[in-house]
């Protein structure tokens, strides 16, 4: 992927997170996974004690009974959406530590002006890079492994079910699926040793449990590896 394509995708991603002049700080997929893990914690209250003070705005009674899309529309988007300030033309010489004022000559090309503004903002903003690597597919597989293990399935059977689900998703979503057909084939190939399959599934289950315990404390995903 070229640098240009990466820039376009980054801009598109930002625009997707803005609706009705509200911006969502993170990808909605992350909130969806956090929700699924929390819902699982609530499904097993004897094993996972959720700190309800960490989720006072989430309305846990609704979390327990609603699918994510309904909960997000009704509750979640209001919790995580931040109202954007309107962009307006300002004529002032006032100086501020929290704002910057830009004068744009009307004879410069629009794209040139946008790039210059972006460079000014990047230079002024203090950014904090997270060391956490968010891997949604892995997090989803961990949770699915945990739930299937709760159904008393053997580890090899869990691997089979995980692969079947990815195939169903691929057939339904095609190019929009996270994994393509080759990746699914290589997920648990027939040549893979029984012990290796068991080890992978057990690790999935263990990581899921650690994440679920983190979620109980209001953290997602938190440290788990």
């Amino acid at each position: 992927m070229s640098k240009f394509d990466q820039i376009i995708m980054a801009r598109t991603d930002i625009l997707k997170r803005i609706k009705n002049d509200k911006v969502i700080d993170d990808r909605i997929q992350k909130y969806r996974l956090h929700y699924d893990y929390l819902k699982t914690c609530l499904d097993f209250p004897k094993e996972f004690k959720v700190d309800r003070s960490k989720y006072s705005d989430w309305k846990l009674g609704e979390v327990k009974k609603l699918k994510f899309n309904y909960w997000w529309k009704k509750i979640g988007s209001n919790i995580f959406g931040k109202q954007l300030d309107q962009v307006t033309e300002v004529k002032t010489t006032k100086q501020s530590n929290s704002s910057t004022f830009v004068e744009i000559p009307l004879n410069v090309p629009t794209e040139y002006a946008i790039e210059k503004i972006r460079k000014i903002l990047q230079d002024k903003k203090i950014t904090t890079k997270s060391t956490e690597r968010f891997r949604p597919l892995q997090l989803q597989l961990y949770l699915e492994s945990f739930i299937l293990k709760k159904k008393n399935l053997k580890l090899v059977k869990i691997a089979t079910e995980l692969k079947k689900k990815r195939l169903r998703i691929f057939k339904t979503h095609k190019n929009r699926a996270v994994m393509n057909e080759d990746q699914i084939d290589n997920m648990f190939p027939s040549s893979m040793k029984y012990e290796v399959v068991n080890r992978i599934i057990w690790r999935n289950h263990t990581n899921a449990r650690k994440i679920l315990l983190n979620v109980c404390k209001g953290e997602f995903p938190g440290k788990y590896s």
Side-chain angles (χ1 to χ4, degrees):
M1 183 182 294
S2 69
K3 189 172 182 180
F4 176 77
D5 290 334
Q6 290 175 344
I7 292 171
I8 295 298
M9 285 184 67
R11 291 178 185 172
T12 303
D13 183 56
I14 291 171
L15 292 174
K16 282 181 179 178
R17 292 191 278 112
I18 298 174
K19 189 174 182 180
N20 298 327
D21 294 326
K22 283 187 176 182
V23 63
I24 307 299
D25 280 341
D26 225 318
R27 287 182 291 171
I28 195 169
Q29 193 173 22
K30 188 168 186 177
Y31 298 115
R32 184 188 299 276
L33 278 165
H34 190 165
Y35 184 88
D36 288 343
Y37 271 86
L38 177 59
K39 197 177 183 75
T40 302
C41 289
L42 296 173
D43 287 341
F44 300 98
K46 291 182 180 179
E47 190 171 353
F48 301 104
K49 305 296 182 185
V50 175
D51 183 347
R52 291 178 175 267
S53 68
K54 302 293 185 181
Y55 298 97
S56 56
D57 296 330
W58 287 51
K59 301 190 185 302
L60 294 183
E62 299 288 273
V63 171
K64 196 165 184 178
K65 66 183 181 181
L66 292 179
K67 290 185 177 180
F68 175 79
N69 288 345
Y70 293 105
W71 176 86
W72 180 259
K73 186 176 181 180
K74 184 178 179 181
I75 299 166
S77 60
N78 294 321
I79 298 173
F80 299 107
K82 293 181 180 178
Q83 192 70 39
L84 290 172
D85 294 330
Q86 293 298 298
V87 178
T88 56
E89 182 181 2
V90 178
K91 295 180 180 180
T92 178
T93 57
K94 178 183 174 182
Q95 298 299 311
S96 168
N97 291 327
S98 59
S99 302
T100 186
F101 304 91
V102 182
E103 181 179 355
I104 306 171
L106 295 178
N107 63 343
V108 302
T110 301
E111 287 302 318
Y112 173 85
I114 290 172
E115 290 301 318
K116 289 295 182 182
I117 293 169
R118 183 176 291 109
K119 179 65 168 60
I120 290 169
L121 292 175
Q122 287 173 344
D123 290 344
K124 285 181 173 292
K125 271 190 175 181
I126 300 173
T127 57
T128 305
K129 290 186 178 180
S130 172
T131 57
E132 173 192 334
R133 188 179 176 187
F134 180 64
R135 297 182 292 183
L137 176 59
Q138 287 303 114
L139 293 171
Q140 187 64 47
L141 290 172
Y142 296 159
L143 185 59
E144 289 174 12
S145 298
F146 180 89
I147 292 172
L148 289 169
K149 183 73 170 59
K150 281 291 182 184
K151 296 179 180 179
N152 295 319
L153 270 64
K154 292 184 178 180
L155 299 183
V156 172
K157 178 64 175 174
I158 291 173
T160 302
E161 291 301 314
L162 292 178
K163 192 168 183 176
K164 282 182 179 178
K165 182 171 181 178
R166 302 274 86 71
L167 280 169
R168 288 197 299 270
I169 292 172
F170 175 74
K171 287 177 180 178
T172 304
H173 293 74
K174 297 296 182 184
N175 294 336
R176 292 181 291 115
V178 176
M179 296 181 75
N180 61 37
E181 206 163 8
D182 289 337
Q183 290 170 322
I184 296 169
D185 286 341
N186 291 325
M187 193 174 174
F188 294 106
S190 56
S191 59
M192 185 176 283
K193 292 182 179 179
Y194 173 87
E195 294 82 3
V196 177
V197 175
N198 276 4
R199 189 161 61 246
I200 291 171
I201 299 302
W202 184 251
R203 184 173 65 242
N204 286 359
H205 176 272
T206 302
N207 286 344
R209 193 171 192 284
K210 290 177 182 177
I211 296 168
L212 288 163
L213 290 170
N214 291 339
V215 167
C216 288
K217 298 182 289 185
E219 301 173 11
F220 180 78
K223 293 182 179 180
Y224 58 89
S225 57

